[in-house]
Structures are given as structure tokens and as C-alpha cells.
Amino acid sequence: MSLQLYLDLFSPPCRSVYIFARNNNIGFEFKFVSLAAGQQYGEEFEKVNMLRLVPALKDGDFALAESVAILKYLAGKYQTPDHWYPSDLQQRARVDEYLAWQHSNIRFHGPRVFMFKGLLPALTGQPIPKERMDEAVEDLQASIQLLEDKFLQDRPYIAGQEVSLADLVAVVELMQPLGVGFDSFSGRPKLTAWRERVKVALGKELFDEAHEPLMKIEETWSNLDRQSPIMQRVAMRLQKVYK
């Protein structure tokens, strides 16, 4: 099998790629890269992706990084149903608009809450100050409000009447804080109804399977050796990214 996907389902972008490939019956070899063990910094993985990030793709001699690029590549190569990445220019633009916006909004603020409430305290042994935590939650809520008001509006899905890459990328990011007990959907009936529609479109069993590692993340953290050089390197990098 020539297609290899380097993934850790702890990561939202990895879950989007995994769910998309499985939903569309795209055969691939699952190459596990443990973020908790710092395997992304190993020499072998650097040969695959010098950015040292997952997901990563190898298709024969072709290598590709970045989840959005990977999703679009898979949609094109395997000619997946048009609703994922529509051929209609304006519908495709809606998908691209969300994918461009989300990087510095939902993609940043959801994992930031996750890091502040769970991973960084586990790595450093120190809680995040309350004012920083409150700011992170406020920023996430503001981004979610924009998702509802600007991108979803009264449509069943972000790009219209059918699920697209935009919905897939959005839902896995909004699920991330649930791993540390923060419910991004609480008090938001429209967003909750959208999530349920997306889950049905993706396949509930597949959706739950992909999110199982996230829901058991505290078991992984309990085994972390935060004194190891790799874990200290991970902690330093995360502290720089999620200020």
C-alpha cells in the first residue's frame, strides 16, 4: 500500500484526515507518531516531515504536510463526492474561506483552552494563572460566536446543504476541549444541532472511534515523564505557542 498517513488521534488535524480517509474508503497505512512521547522530534520522522508536525502523508515518493493540504489532496486524487470540496466556484470559496479563517481562530483557541486546562499543567506541574485561563476561554467563545454568526448562520452546514471539509475541520477542533472537561457546545443549541448533523454525515461510530484517545487523554498524561529532555522540549515549545 503506497499511501501512508502519519497520525496521532490526540491531534484534531490528524482526526480530520483519519475520519475523511475512512469515511471515503481510502486505503492507507496508519503510521502512529506519538506526540506524548515526542516522536515527532525523532530523526526518522524528520525524514518524512521536516516541519516535525502531524499529520503527514507519503504517497509513494510524494510527501505532504499540513492537514488542509492533505485533505484537499485526498479529495482530488480519490475523486471523493463533490460535497466535500465542491466544484461549484462559490461553494468551494465558502469552504476555503472557513479553512483560511480557522487557523488563527478556532484552530488556535480551542487547543489553547485544552493546553491550559490539561497538557501544560501536566508537563510543567504548575497550573495556568486564572486570568490567562479566563482570557483563553473568552477568546474561544468569541471565535465560536463568529463561527455561528458568520460561517454557519441558518444553514445546516458551513457551505450549504451538505457536509464539507469545513465542517469536518471545525468539529474536530471544537471537540478538543472536551478532553479536559470544557464543553464548547454548552448553551449553544444551534451549534449542538450542527455537531449532531455532522456526526451523522461522518458516521457516529467512526466519529466516536476517532475521538476515543482524546476522551482517555488523562490516562496518557499520568504516564508522562515531564523531567525527560523530550518532554521539557515539548513543554517549552507549547509555552511559546500558547502564550
Side-chain angles (χ1 to χ4, degrees):
M1 185 179 297
S2 62
L3 181 64
Q4 298 176 328
L5 296 177
Y6 292 76
L7 308 168
D8 184 341
L9 297 183
F10 160 78
S11 153
C14 287
R15 292 198 297 273
S16 68
V17 170
Y18 177 81
I19 291 171
F20 183 74
R22 287 281 309 278
N23 179 272
N24 287 282
N25 298 311
I26 297 171
F28 65 93
E29 181 181 356
F30 190 121
K31 306 286 282 187
F32 178 59
V33 179
S34 174
L35 298 177
Q39 290 180 352
Q40 69 273 32
Y41 296 113
E43 292 182 5
E44 286 303 310
F45 184 66
E46 185 181 14
K47 296 174 184 176
V48 177
N49 182 12
M50 65 185 299
L51 299 178
R52 299 180 181 276
L53 297 169
V54 289
L57 171 150
K58 280 195 73 177
D59 191 4
D61 294 330
F62 179 70
L64 188 63
E66 297 296 324
S67 58
V68 170
I70 291 170
L71 288 167
K72 291 180 182 180
Y73 175 80
L74 294 175
K77 175 170 180 176
Y78 294 96
Q79 299 182 327
T80 57
D82 188 72
H83 62 83
W84 287 111
Y85 195 49
S87 55
D88 177 85
L89 182 61
Q90 292 188 355
Q91 283 188 305
R92 176 172 289 200
R94 287 296 180 208
V95 174
D96 285 333
E97 181 185 36
Y98 178 79
L99 295 177
W101 174 82
Q102 60 95 27
H103 280 286
S104 57
N105 291 277
I106 299 293
R107 168 73 190 122
F108 180 79
H109 296 306
R112 188 180 181 210
V113 169
F114 176 83
M115 295 296 174
F116 280 8
K117 286 184 71 68
L119 185 54
L120 278 173
L123 288 172
T124 65
Q126 299 293 325
I128 298 296
K130 182 179 184 301
E131 60 272 18
R132 291 182 67 200
M133 188 71 251
D134 290 345
E135 179 188 26
V137 170
E138 183 179 345
D139 289 343
L140 174 58
Q141 295 289 13
S143 287
I144 292 173
Q145 195 64 52
L146 279 172
L147 169 59
E148 286 192 314
D149 295 343
K150 154 67 178 167
F151 294 97
L152 189 57
Q153 298 182 23
D154 294 322
R155 295 184 290 264
Y157 300 100
I158 290 173
Q161 299 302 309
E162 294 185 271
V163 70
S164 72
L165 294 181
D167 300 286
L168 171 57
V169 168
V171 76
V172 295
E173 295 291 353
L174 290 173
M175 289 293 293
Q176 192 72 5
L178 276 173
V180 291
F182 182 86
D183 187 354
S184 303
F185 302 89
S186 179
R188 294 182 179 272
K190 181 168 74 171
L191 196 69
T192 300
W194 163 80
R195 179 190 61 185
E196 295 309 305
R197 286 193 295 273
V198 174
K199 284 179 67 173
V200 170
L202 298 175
K204 288 186 177 181
E205 185 175 340
L206 172 59
F207 187 89
D208 291 341
E209 175 203 331
H211 286 86
E212 185 175 358
L214 173 66
M215 299 307 161
K216 296 180 177 179
I217 194 62
E218 291 189 7
E219 296 176 17
T220 301
W221 287 341
S222 65
N223 296 319
L224 289 178
D225 178 8
R226 63 172 180 251
Q227 301 304 320
S228 73
I230 289 179
M231 288 298 97
Q232 291 181 6
R233 181 178 180 181
V234 171
M236 288 179 61
R237 182 180 184 279
L238 292 175
Q239 285 173 316
K240 288 180 181 178
V241 172
Y242 297 102
K243 295 179 181 179

